[in-house]
Amino acid sequence: MDFEPKIVSFLCNWCSYTGADLAGTSRMKYAPNIRVIRIMCSGRVEPTFVLKAFREGADGVLICGCHPGDCHYHEGNYKCLRRYHLLQKYLKQMGIQGERLKLEWVSASEGKQFADLADSFTETIRGLGPCKVKENVETLA
Amino acid sequence: MANEEKPKLKLAVYWAASCGGCCVSVLDVHEKLFDVVAAADLVFWPIALDVKYKDVEAMPDGHIDVTLFNGAVRNSENEYMAKLLRKKSKVLVAYGSCAHMGGIPGLANFTTKEGIFNRAYIESESTDNPEGIFPQTEYEVPEGTLEIPEFYNDVRSLGQVVDVDYYLPGCPPQTERLVEVFMAIVTGAELPPPGSVVGANDKTQCDECEREKSENKTIKKFYRPWQIKDDGKTCFLEQGVICMGPATRGGCGVRCIVGNAPCRGCYGPPPDAPDPGSKMMSAIATMIDANEDNEIQEIIETIDDPAGTFYRFSLPASILRRTIS
Amino acid sequence: MEEQRIGVYLCWCGTNIAKMVDVESIAEEVGKLPNVVIAKNYKYMCSDPGQELIVNDIKEHNLNRVVVSACSPRIHELTFRKALENAGLNPYLFEMANIREQVSWVHTDRTAATRKARQLVKAAINRVVFHEPLDKRSVDINPATLIIGGGVSGLSAALEIGEAGKKVFIVEKNSKLGGHTADIDLTYPYMYSAGQMLDSMVQRANDNPNIEIFLESEVDEIFGYVGNFESKVKDKNGKETELNFGNVIVATGLKPFDAGKIDNYGYGKLPNVVTSVEFEKMLKTGNILTKEGKEPKNVAIIHCVGSRNPDYHEYCSRICCMVAMKFANQIKSALPDSNVYELYADMRAFGKGCEEFYSLSSSKNILFLMFDQKEGLPLIKKAGSGDNCDMIIEMEEKLSGENIEVPADMVILMVGMEAQDNAKDIAHQVGVSMCGNDFYIEKHPKLDPVATTTDGVYIVGGCQAPKDITDSVSQARAAAARILASIAYGSVEVEVTTASVNEDVCCGCQTCIKVCPYTAISFDEEKNVSVVNEVLCKGCGTCGSTCPTGAIKCKHFTDVQILSQIEGLMTLEEV
């Protein structure tokens, strides 16, 4: 059977979640592989959530927030950016390809960008193949 | 103090993948040894008594009142003894960091059995093994078959192999804490629910740490402890040195910091932590004083080894458990 | 934990969801999950019968948690929370799964869409188990209002509020009130004098003791929350005044597009090429004269300068067509023998009386010449010595298909409107979001066009999007009415999904203190713990993710809730 990526996505309420909704109201079409969790701000996203997603079987994790300078809560997206970079370094040490975690800024009016991002990230993950974390942990017993 | 009529507590201490330090910490009871000996019968302790595995196998189930099991589980012998002692003990305590979270041996989860064997038996500089012989679990000799335990690919904590009643953290646990827990069991005090951490505070190190803390927790560069002139009184984090204190349970007497070294996290995470290292990782990242990609990455360059720093004692207990193999 | 009794409702939304997601089968599957007492599907959950269904089930089946899978929570979360309240259940014991905007409307394969919807429903069920009741929180409202910008929008709002007896502060960066309207001569379509309208407004504002005006002044960063804001106003000499107010109206307006950016039009090089703004000022002086002091025989008016063009601004600036009509009429009136040419791309005459105005203008011997921006812009050149005009405009006239030359002694460029240069700074100061063109974003384009997602902050007039005086005044008075209503009510509800510190867990490391953009976290030296002021807290969750001990709990977005949601997304893979 062809591999269908499972991607967990964290979208911030004010910008990226609204942008994703806009893609919907505009009836844009994109790949059905992204499963969304809504949070108020990308500043709420922390490494624990990303690691948990991989552990539960996600092949990719996508975090979206407001563009730098436009965060509804002023600076939450910067905190998310800092955590993203440190997490990438940790993931590399643990043998997880950095391309599996993506942080992208999507504003409330960027419905098309969100749809394109959903498609392109799905293809990136499809190319990387399934993420082995869950399988790895299950073989440990 | 136990009285004449009350039977003595049957106590066992065992070491799996361990350095021996936990056993030393038990010996460190010093003069309290008399209290211990008065209250307890040591029925099994390989480092101190000549009691064999077969003696333990012969015990009825639940015969041992309390077993302090230290060390991680990394080979078949460790696993066998973990299961055996679980059967033979009423209360099984995961004693020390290795049994609690995998400990230092747990860092082997950064590599594989193959990687370890290659290094130990072939590549290491002082090894002379031209035929590339690896240990085998069975070996025929004229006298019969020799068996040694199977070396597993992955290190596990005790709780990942058997049900554990209590966790007594530390590398090694502070002896005073051990005595407190032991006396609580002896005097029949009400114990917390099974699966709890004992002998450690719920609050993390900062609560007891005497160093001066302020709200200025932004870092432009991280330093290794030897790279700074520690002023001895300011919070390590505020001097740019990663200290695991905020995410590590207290109860050890803040001993590393009192010794002017930053906490490394051996007492493990506070209650209900979803992962032993990820919250500290998030806190440290948040402290980075930069908002541009390249500036942030430059500062992260000064954190040499995030995985080893945040999971030094807890890699097997982390969400990812080990590197992808 | 108490026994969980969850009711799950899947909405068809007519065919909007049902045609792409098999809601009936999902309802059947999740009905079998532990803790799910009821699992139903219904055509329109947001309708009265739909909500009644929930209310009745809560009462009849003793439900203590509800999940609705339907449209985006941004549309109906409040609706369903009210339904729970009506049934006597705390409104926060509710979770929504978005299976319309983010599933049925965007995917094309029914199996894949249904699978994704199922994951989202499962995640919501997982999460709602850990929801906790939260109580509403209200704060008093300071009845004073800050209005940034003293143009026609700001003035309209100020008069509405001030004349209702409430205090208003107007902060205007220029030396006089009136904004762009002060430079307008007559207004379309009825040719009323802008000056007369404006002068009386300015007079009333100056005379009103409730209205305090700060000219040549700017507002510094605004702190606080709805009903309780504070800021400093600085005048040109650096003198600072502290202000306290309950609501803010942003009426900072726009600026004209810089015509110099379009080489074809020679603005800045050819002296008789002027912008509409400059021509309006000329009209106010009463004389239409070229730079050489002569009355122009040929006047060309070029539309869409900097508008509807992906190289400059894609949007339409809304008023230029009608202003151009107005100019044509005024020129014809002042100089009856002149030739007036309207070089237009489209004629947009949608407002009240505007189509009639356009028809009337068409009968006045004005020549309408159409060009297509995609084919190429008209080119203005200096005329040759043999030509009896100052300039020649070369253009491809679309309706005839011919390349023509238009004589012109004066060319008026109908420049588009764009956001102010400091729009971003002001946005950050007041806490509003901007769209791609740097205009401010309203709370909802149809249903809430003057409010923003920051409670207590309203946007009116040109800063929200190009518009005329009529629409600006409507918005301004609408915002004023909203504010007066909230002042009359006396209190306003604030965020309840705030953060709080568990003092039994907090170790006093102080990592969180400076992380809060609203300075809502302080340190209690005595107890050695951090404390969150939940009235200042806006619930972003940044502190919760920063805390190394897990002491900070972000209500309604706790670790446990989110982690269980992640688990839910990844289970129920196959039926």
Side-chain angles (χ1 to χ4, degrees), chain A residues 44-56 68 75 78-97 103 105 131-141, chain B residues 109-110 153-154 156 160 218 274-275 278-294 296-297 300-308 310-311 315 318-325:
Chain A
R44 180 69 187 96
V45 182
E46 50 178 285
T48 312
F49 301 158
V50 176
L51 299 174
K52 175 76 167 172
F54 284 127
R55 166 75 174 257
E56 292 296 318
E75 293 192 348
Y78 289 127
K79 312 296 197 288
C80 180
L81 181 63
R82 299 171 194 174
R83 293 170 193 150
Y84 162 80
H85 280 300
L86 183 55
L87 182 53
Q88 280 285 19
K89 192 167 180 178
Y90 171 64
L91 289 176
K92 187 167 177 193
Q93 289 184 282
M94 300 305 286
I96 297 171
Q97 300 103 316
L103 172 63
W105 310 123
C131 176
K132 300 247 183 347
V133 170
K134 183 175 181 195
E135 189 191 306
N136 210 30
V137 167
E138 280 169 354
T139 58
L140 296 178
Chain B
N109 277 4
F110 279 130
N153 194 52
D154 316 300
R156 286 175 288 167
Q160 288 170 343
T218 52
D275 174 279
S278 59
K279 280 210 167 281
M280 193 68 200
M281 194 193 309
S282 193
I284 291 288
T286 309
M287 289 181 208
I288 292 171
D289 193 3
N291 288 334
E292 302 287 320
D293 284 294
N294 58 329
I296 296 171
Q297 284 169 309
I300 287 176
E301 279 302 297
T302 58
I303 303 175
D304 285 328
D305 174 11
F310 301 117
Y311 297 96
L315 189 61
S318 66
I319 289 178
L320 294 182
R321 301 271 305 255
R322 58 157 301 117
T323 53
I324 308 267
S325 55

Side-chain angles (χ1 to χ4, degrees), chain C residues 251-531:
Chain C
T252 48
L254 322 120
K255 70 179 217 300
F257 171 79
D258 176 10
K261 289 188 176 151
I262 305 182
D263 289 332
N264 272 30
Y265 295 155
Y267 179 72
K269 300 197 187 84
L270 297 166
N272 285 309
V273 173
V274 299
T275 66
S276 45
V277 178
E278 289 162 343
F279 186 70
E280 191 75 56
K281 288 195 178 125
M282 209 189 287
L283 287 171
K284 265 201 115 144
T285 65
N287 294 312
I288 304 172
L289 298 169
T290 64
K291 278 285 179 322
E292 296 81 24
K294 294 213 211 69
E295 285 177 354
K297 181 90 173 92
N298 299 293
V299 182
I301 305 174
I302 304 185
H303 291 219
C304 292
V305 175
S307 301
R308 304 180 61 214
N309 187 322
D311 293 336
Y312 309 108
H313 292 301
E314 271 201 65
Y315 56 86
C316 163
S317 288
R318 235 170 121 123
I319 60 160
C320 330
C321 281
M322 287 298 100
V323 175
M325 283 299 93
K326 180 186 78 171
F327 285 168
N329 275 285
Q330 286 180 283
I331 296 166
K332 269 299 199 188
S333 215
L335 310 167
D337 293 330
S338 61
N339 297 318
V340 179
Y341 308 99
E342 288 274 345
L343 278 64
Y344 72 101
D346 282 296
M347 261 319 193
R348 294 186 165 181
F350 57 87
K352 192 165 183 176
C354 289
E355 182 64 29
E356 296 87 331
F357 185 52
Y358 171 37
S359 296
L360 192 65
S361 313
S362 314
S363 68
K364 287 191 180 171
N365 238 350
I366 297 167
L367 207 54
F368 288 88
L369 305 164
M370 191 189 209
F371 68 92
D372 186 339
Q373 289 211 67
K374 289 195 203 70
E375 303 296 315
L377 299 175
L379 177 64
I380 308 176
K381 293 154 77 162
K382 191 98 184 78
S385 50
D387 299 315
N388 62 347
C389 57
D390 186 33
M391 297 171 279
I392 297 278
I393 308 176
E394 288 174 3
M395 66 175 278
E396 202 186 303
E397 207 287 321
K398 195 170 169 121
L399 294 174
S400 63
E402 292 182 17
N403 286 323
I404 59 173
E405 288 182 344
V406 181
D409 300 308
M410 180 187 288
V411 180
I412 305 170
L413 300 175
M414 301 307 300
V415 287
M417 298 197 247
E418 54 185 34
Q420 300 273 20
D421 289 328
N422 64 345
K424 215 179 175 91
D425 296 330
I426 295 176
H428 287 165
Q429 278 170 353
V430 300
V432 293
S433 308
M434 302 200 301
C435 71
N437 299 308
D438 282 4
F439 294 119
Y440 301 140
I441 297 187
E442 61 286 321
K443 193 162 188 185
H444 190 285
K446 294 255 183 280
L447 304 176
D448 211 347
V450 299
T452 64
T453 50
T454 303
D455 287 340
V457 179
Y458 298 86
I459 48 173
V460 302
C463 64
Q464 186 250 350
K467 57 177 66 76
D468 59 14
I469 296 170
T470 308
D471 289 342
S472 297
V473 170
S474 299
Q475 280 195 328
R477 298 181 78 161
R482 291 279 289 273
I483 291 173
L484 285 169
S486 69
I487 295 172
Y489 192 75
S491 67
V492 67
E493 277 180 28
V494 288
E495 192 56 70
V496 293
T497 59
T498 47
S500 69
V501 179
N502 183 339
E503 295 184 355
D504 293 333
V505 177
C506 176
C507 67
C509 68
Q510 299 194 47
T511 309
C512 57
I513 309 284
K514 279 195 144 168
V515 150
C516 179
Y518 306 102
T519 55
I521 313 181
S522 58
F523 191 64
D524 183 333
E525 298 279 356
E526 233 181 87
K527 292 190 192 169
N528 201 42
V529 295
S530 292
V531 181

